[in-house]
Amino acid sequence: MKPLYYILFFVIFGPRYIFFIICQNVPSPRSQQTSSLVGTRFYFFGGSSKIPTNEVWYIDLSNSFNISTPPWHSDVVMPVGYGLGTSCLSPIDNSSVFLVGGRTSIITSATTFYYAYISSVYKFNSKTSQWTTPTINNFNSSFTSRNEIQAVIDNNGKIFIFGGNDYFDSTTTPIFNYYNDINTLDITTMTWSTQTQPQSVFSFYGYTATLLPNGLIVYIGGTRGSNISTSSDNIVQIQVFDTKSYTWSTKPVSGSTITSRRYHSAVLTQDGNIIIYGGAIHNNISGGIAYVFSDIAVLNTNSWVWSVPNVSGTSAPPLTQHSAALYKNYMILAFGASSASILYTNNIYILDIKNYTWVTTFNIPTTTNPARQTQSNGNSSTDHDSSNLYIGIGIEIIATPGTFNT
Ligand SMILES: *[C@@H]1O[C@H](CO)[C@@H](O)[C@H](O)[C@H]1NC(C)=O
Ligand SMILES: *[C@@H]1O[C@H](CO)[C@@H](O)[C@H](O)[C@H]1NC(C)=O
Ligand SMILES: *[C@@H]1O[C@H](CO)[C@@H](O)[C@H](O)[C@H]1NC(C)=O
Ligand SMILES: *[C@@H]1O[C@H](CO)[C@@H](O)[C@H](O)[C@H]1NC(C)=O
Ligand SMILES: *[C@@H]1O[C@H](CO)[C@@H](O)[C@H](O)[C@H]1NC(C)=O
Ligand SMILES: *[C@@H]1O[C@H](CO)[C@@H](O)[C@H](O)[C@H]1NC(C)=O
Ligand SMILES: *[C@@H]1O[C@H](CO)[C@@H](O)[C@H](O)[C@H]1NC(C)=O
Ligand SMILES: *[C@@H]1O[C@H](CO)[C@@H](O)[C@H](O)[C@H]1NC(C)=O
């Protein structure tokens, strides 16, 4: 009788108590984190406020919520502080996330840290919340400390990373080297490879990379150049890398005039549109933020035409160095800098891409795919690990009708 009594006690008194704990759990403002959508969880790794963080957070997209109270959950912290890197979800198991490059750091106190480039790849198992440092065959040490990059992963598990820069922390003069190579990591064999590029391919960082189903990677925005003599990439001459032939081409783009920028976000819709949001122009000399965008632009990758949709609802503020993901018909934005003086935020904004309307409520669409839902929610009857069981309980409790409406 005792176990049953305990369970009943938990069911009756547990929900409110656990909900209360989750409610208090809100990440602090940050920018420069990297993010990945894993099933119904939108994960955020690291980021920076005054100093880098090693925190891992996710919002649970399996239930509706009001954007003023997102369903935040914290997960097991990273082995290092992390910023300006990139992450890819494994298409092999749909649950492992690979973090590549980035500025990695050891945090020594609430206000101190130092950069430490121990590994260029970290692997997160989202099912067991475990971090590992995989052994990489043929790793190119010139990639160590590469950052301000965005990687894509193809269906076979090959990660492609273009360019980026080095950042070596120094008390005197920071040293930046710029690259225009393509580095690849095959996660099925954990083998690294570098393809050096013709000089005509400019060094890039701060761009977005979007892989199309036909194997083309579309690079939008970012900055090209060397050391402080940088210039924004021209957003009407879009560089495209073919992952099948390993060749570059430039797509001339027509349509609306879109201002060049860096650190914006980009998502790909099922009909081949890349939707970008925000980004910034930086001061050529100081490198600091000069202007932050709050516009939405759409690149049709069938016709290579930019357009600016008519947007309704209360717009998100200007955002740069933020995160974005497309979940069903919702483009979800999180964190980021808003201006030269507001460098860190912790808000969520949602754009319904069906009619380009900013919404305040995330409503799970009625046409949910049950297979996709169970994939990341886990099946509580097969979760023997107690930490997973706890997460499973948390999700069920959030699902309790009325919890968020009161
Ligand atoms: C979301 O929450 C805010 C703040 O509590 C509230 O003002 C707003 O009405 C809510 N929106 C909806 C759609 O419930
Ligand atoms: C991973 O997700 C993709 C796309 O949703 C799906 O086609 C594939 O079957 C999934 N693989 C596994 C192992 O779940
Ligand atoms: C490693 O990367 C650097 C920089 O792109 C390149 O010059 C070098 O050829 C690469 N080494 C190998 C073995 O691929
Ligand atoms: C910056 O780049 C220019 C041209 O490549 C070079 O002449 C100069 O020495 C570089 N400055 C630094 C500080 O590296
Ligand atoms: C920054 O560089 C761009 C591109 O070279 C140039 O058009 C712009 O005038 C420069 N801005 C400043 C403030 O120097
Ligand atoms: C936006 O709205 C204006 C006025 O209602 C209309 O003229 C224009 O064609 C619309 N643009 C798009 C892209 O729908
Ligand atoms: C946009 O579409 C959603 C449904 O996806 C609907 O609830 C909303 O009213 C629409 N907004 C506008 C301004 O048409
Ligand atoms: C969930 O567990 C039940 C009971 O063990 C099993 O029948 C079902 O196939 C499992 N579903 C998944 C998606 O693993």
Side-chain angles (χ1 to χ4, degrees), residues 56-191:
V56 178
W57 290 86
Y58 66 89
I59 46 174
D60 174 16
L61 305 177
S62 57
N63 290 290
S64 301
F65 61 87
N66 181 327
I67 59 164
S68 64
T69 52
W72 286 114
H73 299 260
S74 60
D75 212 319
V76 173
V77 296
M78 294 188 64
V80 287
Y82 195 80
L84 296 169
T86 184
S87 58
C88 291
L89 174 66
S90 161
I92 313 300
D93 64 11
N94 289 339
S95 61
S96 301
V97 180
F98 289 83
L99 281 84
V100 185
R103 291 183 193 173
T104 55
S105 53
I106 305 297
I107 299 159
T108 42
S109 80
T111 53
T112 56
F113 71 98
Y114 61 93
Y115 288 108
Y117 296 102
I118 302 155
S119 175
S120 287
V121 181
Y122 290 92
K123 182 182 178 184
F124 177 64
N125 181 329
S126 65
K127 283 194 172 143
T128 59
S129 295
Q130 277 170 319
W131 285 96
T132 49
T133 306
T135 303
I136 300 161
N137 304 309
N138 205 27
F139 179 68
N140 185 333
S141 60
S142 130
F143 187 84
T144 308
S145 84
R146 201 73 68 85
N147 62 76
E148 303 195 61
I149 45 180
Q150 192 170 30
V152 297
I153 190 163
D154 71 11
N155 290 335
N156 301 319
K158 189 180 252 188
I159 295 174
F160 293 82
I161 313 129
F162 172 50
N165 66 60
D166 273 345
Y167 176 77
F168 290 98
D169 185 41
S170 158
T171 47
T172 50
T173 318
I175 301 163
F176 289 88
N177 293 303
Y178 294 84
Y179 295 86
N180 66 358
D181 50 3
I182 287 272
N183 282 282
T184 62
L185 172 64
D186 184 333
I187 64 160
T188 62
T189 58
M190 292 310 287
T191 303

Side-chain angles (χ1 to χ4, degrees), residues 189-337:
T189 58
M190 292 310 287
T191 303
W192 193 272
S193 178
T194 304
Q195 283 76 37
T196 53
Q197 303 298 326
Q199 284 303 307
S200 60
V201 179
F202 290 99
S203 307
F204 268 86
Y205 66 92
Y207 54 78
T208 54
T210 307
L211 178 64
L212 304 180
N214 62 9
L216 297 182
I217 308 173
V218 180
Y219 290 96
I220 298 176
T223 298
R224 61 176 77 189
S226 58
N227 56 53
I228 57 169
S229 161
T230 59
S231 67
S232 284
D233 185 53
N234 187 345
I235 218 159
V236 299
Q237 295 279 327
I238 287 183
Q239 292 204 75
V240 170
F241 182 76
D242 189 334
T243 56
K244 293 182 176 140
S245 63
Y246 280 66
T247 52
W248 285 95
S249 59
T250 301
K251 300 279 181 196
V253 181
S254 58
S256 306
T257 305
I258 311 299
T259 313
S260 298
R261 63 195 66 200
R262 60 173 120 151
Y263 307 129
H264 52 290
S265 57
V267 298
L268 177 67
T269 69
Q270 281 198 330
D271 46 6
N273 287 330
I274 298 174
I275 305 173
I276 68 163
Y277 184 79
I281 294 174
H282 285 241
N283 183 290
N284 295 6
I285 309 301
S286 72
I289 291 174
Y291 180 80
V292 185
F293 294 94
S294 60
D295 58 337
I296 293 163
V298 180
L299 176 65
N300 182 323
T301 61
N302 300 305
S303 59
W304 298 100
V305 171
W306 276 114
S307 63
V308 176
N310 285 329
V311 181
S312 57
T314 307
S315 174
L319 287 176
T320 184
Q321 304 184 346
H322 56 290
S323 294
L326 186 65
Y327 182 79
K328 299 182 192 289
N329 56 311
Y330 289 129
M331 181 173 179
I332 306 168
L333 309 177
F335 300 110

Side-chain angles (χ1 to χ4, degrees), residues 312-362:
S312 57
T314 307
S315 174
L319 287 176
T320 184
Q321 304 184 346
H322 56 290
S323 294
L326 186 65
Y327 182 79
K328 299 182 192 289
N329 56 311
Y330 289 129
M331 181 173 179
I332 306 168
L333 309 177
F335 300 110
S338 240
S339 68
S341 55
I342 305 169
L343 294 174
Y344 322 107
T345 68
N346 61 351
N347 299 317
I348 298 287
Y349 301 96
I350 299 178
L351 179 72
D352 185 340
I353 64 154
K354 272 192 199 152
N355 51 14
Y356 292 105
T357 302
W358 291 103
V359 297
T360 55
T361 308
F362 174 88

